[in-house]
Amino acid sequence: FPCDVIRNFSIIAHIDHGKSTLADRLLELTGTISKKSTGTNQQVLDKLKVERERGITVKAQTASMLHTANGKAHLLNLIDTPGHVDFAWEVSRSLAACQGALLLVDATQGVQAQSISVFHVAKERGLTIIPVLNKIDLPASQPERIAAQLQSTFGIDPSDVLQISAKTGKGVEHVLHAIIERIPPPHGNADEPLKAFLFDSLYDRYRGVISLVRIQDGVLRKGDKIASCHTRKKYEVTEVGVMYPEEVPTASLQPGQVGYIACNMKESSEAHIGDTLHRLGVPVDPMPGFQPAKAMVYAGVFPVDSNDFIKLEESIKRLTLTDRSVTVQRESSSALGQGCRLGFLGTLHMDVFRQRLEDEYDASIIVTAPTVPYKVVYKDRTVLVSNPTEFPDVSDTASKVKEVQEPVVKASIIVPEEYLGEMMDLCFSHRAEDLDHRYLDAGAASASSASTSSASTSTASTPSNPPNSSTAPIPTTHTTADATVDASPPATANATPAPTSSAPRAILTCTIPLSEIVTDFFDQLKSRSSGYASFDYEDGGYKTSDLAKMVFLLNSKPVDALALIVHRSAQQHVGRTWVKKLHKVIPRQLFEVPIQAAVGKKIIARETLSAMRADVTAGLYGGHYERKMKHLENQKASKRRMKRVGSVELPQEAFFDVLSTG
Ligand code: GTP
């Protein structure tokens, strides 16, 4: 395929606006997959089990299609992007391999927080943007109004806007046409030295690491000897091919083409995202790469049975082969023994990983409360602390801490006007500062200044590499919050409340500590806006803050795995709430157990768990054998999730779920 018949594109959108459904239609329309294989709601590119279960795309997938237009066969490479901005890193690396993007907007919901952020990432990369309004089959859709919104928000000409239903297939052929007509072909020269941009990797049990690459210049064939600009390691290519949509080997990969290569890479760390591969002995200047994904949320993971640590560590290692953005470090806790401290891009990312760990490897685990990375500033150095157990007692002058800083984010929330007051209250109660708002529909001037400010902040925070490192803005809608917190089935478009799209909408911006939004913020955002708010954020750097370590004691013994870092203004409230929750979730033991919260040497809350008898069948009438067995089984099942800490048995909820049970 010569470059001029190749088109590399992505679909970018707010969560649930229909990316995966449109991808399926495009694959069908080009005959890449048959209608039967997609069935009614099955999304071919959503490969991982958790993706199917939750209806969100987690890992970007790539697929090639053939389409004939103007008598010429075209090779269209679709690079699917994840829907949740916890995965923004994947979005930006997908876009790095493209020349164009379909900006998909739900015609019933209009522009949402993430539509704005992905638009700017694509724009900054210089991509051609094709605006597409989806779900026009729904009676609540208002394509003209939303097209006007695209004009006022992004300066998009309404006559460029396509209107489709990805569900019924209406208008989708115009999308194919626009991809070919509007998106420029990639540049590249087959006669130049090989330059292949590595933008993703997969792990295959048999072949090891499979790298996804876009060929900039040169031709890559099986048997070629190549080297990495980043690691300088050498490899022999054992297979090249395209994703069609599964891997299909080909004779070569030509300039502009997107495909996979297998070259006996053993460790996934060898496939460095953003790396440039070149022919051995023919070095080239590397293409601009990526900054590594930045972990924003950390949690400890421990096996329930300490003997299972090796198995757990292996499981984690295997999972990180397919999810490179998780950071792993060994951790040891006096309460929970040996474990791993994992770093995630956001809370949904953490939740998805936890589910995959439990599902795919059948591992029984304890996950501790999420923490964000704090900076502890001493006179001569600054230490990044992402584990509460390592947080110093700031009130103790011997600790010599000058100050503590916490990560903050610049948040934007889009809501119908009537919920603006509620949202402001919500932000204030989460220590927000610099609150500001503008109306999104109230004319081009105010709306575009709102969106411009969002773009410029992202650039300002990371001037060297703005699109990749505008660290994980994490928006959510009501549906995301569901998925994040209680893993309920994905809301379908039809189940989504009809939008109040005729009401003017406002965009509220503020600076808010990251720690405030990793707990129950999404839930509250959802319930206090009746599900209408959409939320997005980007890195806002660090701010000095008055923080303290809170320790919980069971039977007068501190449980290190339960430690938290809290803002002093909230310590009383947090201490009391946690102690109450622990009291609720810890089953009564054979003896009385005092549960206390302490900051420094001061106890700030206490509850007492009274003693009970252990025999769960004791209270049962008669001795009905089956009933008795069932109770014992239940007790056994819940035991599996229990961890003995000192003399007290703690359930998983005591460590993690307490945070989100409200
Ligand atoms: P993420 O991968 O999580 O970002 O979601 P997505 O953007 O890929 O959305 P997805 O394709 O999963 O669609 C979300 C919901 O909208 C699903 O229930 C789809 O069936 C539904 N949907 C998508 N397109 C249309 C459409 O044109 N009309 C209607 N009525 N529903 C649609």
Side-chain angles (χ1 to χ4, degrees), residues 175-226:
V175 176
L176 278 178
H177 188 71
I179 291 168
I180 291 169
E181 291 302 315
R182 298 192 207 170
I183 297 178
H187 296 296
N189 188 340
D191 302 324
E192 292 279 316
L194 176 72
K195 242 185 182 183
F197 180 69
L198 196 162
F199 67 93
D200 200 359
S201 72
L202 322 163
Y203 188 77
D204 181 283
R205 231 164 258 237
Y206 305 104
R207 289 171 298 174
V209 180
I210 307 277
S211 303
L212 293 186
V213 295
R214 179 181 50 108
I215 308 294
Q216 176 70 31
D217 290 316
V219 179
L220 190 63
R221 293 188 181 82
K222 181 178 167 178
D224 282 353
K225 296 206 168 45
I226 56 168

Side-chain angles (χ1 to χ4, degrees), residues 57 163 240 308 377 398 438 453 511 514 554:
T57 313
Q163 298 187 7
V240 300
D308 285 344
V377 183
R438 291 187 177 85
S453 78
T511 306
L514 179 63
L554 298 181

Side-chain angles (χ1 to χ4, degrees), residues 14-21 41 43 55-57 83 134-135 137-138 165-167 492-494:
H14 191 78
I15 186 161
D16 267 348
H17 281 199
K19 280 189 304 291
S20 306
T21 310
N41 236 336
Q43 292 160 353
I56 48 159
T57 313
N134 189 27
K135 308 196 186 180
D137 59 298
L138 291 176
S165 164
K167 189 169 182 179
T492 62
N494 298 337

